Every structure is written in C-alpha cells, then in structure tokens.
Amino acid sequence: MANTSTPAQYILILLDMVERRGCNRAKLLAGTTFAQTGMGSIGARINDADFNQLVVNALNLTGDPALGLKLGLRLNLSAHAVLGQAFITCANL
C-alpha cells in the first residue's frame, strides 16, 4: 500500500482552530510524530497517520462533531495544493 499524505496547510489551520478554543498543544499533538519532532519539521505534506491522530485528538479535546465542516470552511483553494491550483487556473469548472 502506498504511503499517503495530507497537505501541511490542513494541519496548520486545524492547530490554529483548536488552540484558539483554548486547547493544549501538547494534548493535541499526543500520539503523533509532531510531539517529538516539533512543528519545524513539517514540509509541504504530512503522513496521513499523523493527520488522522491529530483529528482524533482535536475531536476529543473540543467535543465538536462539526469540527471537520468548520475546518473545510477555513480552507481556501490554495490550501488544497495541486488540486487547488488546478481549480484556480481552470477557465471553466
């Protein structure tokens, strides 16, 4: 099975959203490689296993079942990496 990844913009926006609610960053990053490596090592894409754990942590900390929808509202087209760039440059959708 291929290693899958998620654009780093998603994690950065999710971190901002959850921290603005007063949640602790260490608890949010628990169980991810970010807890050991820190945020400085994040590149253009992150491992999906880390993103999935971050989402589980965020949902548990906030108790907000609509958190994914709220994240989606915060993402603009450029946050979707190559797919977003394709939509931006598309003459007609």
Side-chain angles (χ1 to χ4, degrees):
M1 187 161 134
N3 289 337
T4 58
S5 61
T6 302
Q9 295 89 329
Y10 294 9
I11 190 174
L12 297 173
I13 293 169
L14 182 59
L15 282 171
D16 179 63
M17 286 176 56
V18 175
E19 287 182 325
R20 284 178 186 257
R21 291 176 173 218
C23 295
N24 179 285
R25 181 175 279 219
K27 289 181 181 178
L28 184 58
L29 298 178
T32 70
T33 59
F34 308 124
Q36 294 86 33
T37 61
M39 302 312 292
S41 66
I42 291 180
R45 301 191 68 83
I46 60 165
N47 180 295
D48 275 349
D50 277 335
F51 185 70
N52 291 340
Q53 183 61 54
L54 181 73
V55 169
V56 168
N57 293 347
L59 288 170
N60 288 335
L61 289 169
T62 64
D64 185 354
L67 191 62
L69 294 173
K70 293 172 183 173
L71 174 63
L73 289 171
R74 290 267 316 263
L75 298 174
N76 58 30
L77 281 178
S78 63
H80 300 290
V82 174
L83 180 62
Q85 294 300 319
F87 283 134
I88 290 171
T89 59
C90 184
N92 56 30
L93 194 53

